[in-house]
Amino acid sequence: MRWLKLTLAYDGTAYAGWQIQPDQPTVQGTLQGAWREITGEQVRLTAAGRTDAGVHALGQVASVATESTIPNDELCRALNARLPYDMAVLAVDDARQSFHATYDAVSKTYRYRIDNGRIRSVFDRQYSWHYPRPLDAYQMQVAGQALVGRHDFASFETAGSERPDTIRTIFRLVVARGSDDQADFITLEVEGDGFLYNMVRAIVGTLVRVGCGARPGEWVADVLSARDRRRAGQTAPAEGLFLVHVNYG
Amino acid sequence: MRWLKLTLAYDGTAYAGWQIQPDQPTVQGTLQGAWREITGEQVRLTAAGRTDAGVHALGQVASVATESTIPNDELCRALNARLPYDMAVLAVDDARQSFHATYDAVSKTYRYRIDNGRIRSVFDRQYSWHYPRPLDAYQMQVAGQALVGRHDFASFETAGSERPDTIRTIFRLVVARGSDDQADFITLEVEGDGFLYNMVRAIVGTLVRVGCGARPGEWVADVLSARDRRRAGQTAPAEGLFLVHVNYG
């Protein structure tokens, strides 16, 4: 038995999320199917972040234990030859024994894209949230710093999650408007040691309330300390969210 | 009667091209349908460039003569409210009497995107040609300059076209590799007074033969002077092509 680390990119538009489900196209199910065709093995791939329906990945990481002796490069090529064009294996690397993509992650980085143009960008419709009201990215950036550090993020967790503990650490949160031909786009990038269910999307929905002028920047700290989901902004739509990078230290 | 100039963006993936056809989704048919819903008028929209199936537009221009008195901004909003999300009207402007989007154009600019990464970019699969063999963008740029100027481009025209005259002028042709996170992409941008059927895609297929080292740069001038389509490279796939801008002087 050997342990492997797979780095993956996928366009989440056509998938009901990472996690395998009966009668639904899922990222995990599609990958495990391709793996079985190549190796004959029925493996279980574990992802660093179980992305929801419509959420994308630029650098998802999955761990797998295998009996296959196919060289890593060949495995990578064979998987890409079988996967649909909206998924790609970027790398297959050896990992230490018992490597676990979720538990061994030191931090994860997510990106959220807002299309803030008056008229939607037709090419970004599946890769951004079209929010046509003017947004002040600088105010969002300043207000968002209240969330950096170790906090109880209960106000930013969608109910129904099984996670017993709502304390997480955000290492970095940056909101910026693009330049040149990206000037209509606002990007939020956030790195943390873990994220509650829909946490990034609730942060985006909250900062947008500040960005459009409906709430002052100080309101974000009030939302955080309330530990009450009803106090925060809406859950921003899935299609703007990307899992960018997983750091294993 | 008044004449209008519409500036349009669309993702061509789902369309059988600009030109209206029975029982096929087309850009022209979709736009004229939305126009009829709003104004009650059955108009005929004329495009600057009749893009083929799968070809995209960032700045297509269409002309129309209308009896409608709806203000331009309102017309723009109403069209966008009815159009599918893969099409958008960027602007509706007054035009001079008898304005014709095709005949009045002074130049058109097309862009072609090649995904030259070893592993396909899942997010660009419908907006680029995935060509994984290494390409030398600089050699393509140098070789491409043979095409700039007034020439007979018969070698770059797909047979079956009705155009009687194959002489066109290319004002500018630039091939460049992207920087930073676009380093896997090569972009060709070409501005000309008009383009023969599949001309940009045949130019791309020809320059790729130089870029991959199969042909020397000087071969491009030989292809041009041969006036024979069989001498040029393949027609590059539609999904990499964008109509970027139409200039009316």
Side-chain angles (χ1 to χ4, degrees), chain B residues 33 71 93 109 160 185 196 204 216 247:
Chain B
D93 293 302
T109 300
F185 287 85
L196 306 173
V204 171
N247 175 20

Side-chain angles (χ1 to χ4, degrees), chain A residues 131-161:
Chain A
Y131 189 94
R133 288 174 63 183
L135 288 171
D136 184 331
Y138 179 72
Q139 293 299 333
M140 292 168 71
Q141 157 69 13
V142 171
Q145 301 316 303
L147 303 174
V148 176
R150 184 174 159 84
H151 301 289
D152 184 339
F153 285 96
S155 291
F156 298 91
E157 178 182 48
T158 299
S161 161

Side-chain angles (χ1 to χ4, degrees), chain A residues 23-74:
Chain A
D23 307 321
Q24 300 248 47
T26 63
V27 179
Q28 186 186 17
T30 305
L31 273 164
Q32 292 182 180
W35 191 283
R36 193 176 49 237
E37 283 180 38
I38 296 163
T39 65
E41 269 185 328
Q42 180 64 60
V43 293
R44 182 190 166 79
L45 285 157
T46 304
R50 292 184 301 173
T51 51
D52 272 325
V55 174
H56 315 291
L58 294 167
Q60 170 74 284
V61 173
S63 52
V64 63
T66 178
E67 300 284 0
S68 168
T69 56
I70 300 174
N72 293 349
D73 278 3
E74 210 173 298

Side-chain angles (χ1 to χ4, degrees), chain A residues 89-244:
Chain A
V89 179
L90 305 180
V92 177
D93 294 301
D94 292 319
R96 63 161 187 72
Q97 197 179 327
S98 304
F99 170 66
H100 193 290
T102 321
Y103 302 139
D104 291 348
V106 173
S107 75
K108 284 185 283 198
T109 300
Y110 281 93
R111 186 180 298 158
Y112 196 93
R113 296 180 76 226
I114 299 172
D115 174 359
N116 194 220
R118 196 171 52 83
I119 296 169
R120 61 182 172 263
S121 163
V122 296
F123 299 102
D124 293 282
R125 68 192 190 282
Q126 291 165 334
Y127 313 117
S128 64
W129 175 23
H130 183 223
Y131 189 94
R133 288 174 63 183
L135 288 171
D136 184 331
Y138 179 72
Q139 293 299 333
M140 292 168 71
Q141 157 69 13
V142 171
Q145 301 316 303
L147 303 174
V148 176
R150 184 174 159 84
H151 301 289
D152 184 339
F153 285 96
S155 291
F156 298 91
E157 178 182 48
T158 299
S161 161
E162 299 149 19
R163 291 182 184 84
D165 155 29
T166 51
I167 298 193
R168 295 290 182 278
T169 301
I170 289 183
F171 302 120
R172 183 171 63 89
L173 189 151
V174 179
V175 182
R177 185 174 286 278
S179 52
D180 302 326
D181 65 339
Q182 293 291 300
D184 279 342
F185 287 85
I186 292 174
T187 299
L188 173 141
E189 206 164 287
V190 58
E191 182 179 358
D193 64 353
F195 293 90
L196 306 172
Y197 186 50
N198 280 345
M199 178 168 150
V200 178
R201 292 163 58 188
I203 288 173
V204 171
T206 301
L207 293 181
V208 157
R209 298 291 290 156
V210 174
C212 73
R215 298 283 186 171
E218 305 75 43
W219 170 70
V220 176
D222 297 344
V223 170
L224 181 67
S225 61
R227 299 183 180 78
D228 178 353
R229 180 64 187 87
R230 293 166 299 181
R231 295 287 297 278
Q234 70 172 106
T235 300
E239 57 266 29
L241 186 60
F242 295 74
L243 172 53
V244 174

Side-chain angles (χ1 to χ4, degrees), chain B residues 73-86:
Chain B
D73 278 3
E74 210 174 297
L75 207 46
C76 185
R77 269 195 302 276
L79 283 165
N80 283 325
R82 273 165 188 79
L83 289 172
Y85 285 165
D86 54 6

Side-chain angles (χ1 to χ4, degrees), chain A residues 73-85:
Chain A
D73 278 3
E74 210 173 298
L75 207 46
C76 185
R77 271 194 301 275
L79 284 165
N80 283 326
R82 274 166 187 78
L83 289 172
Y85 286 166

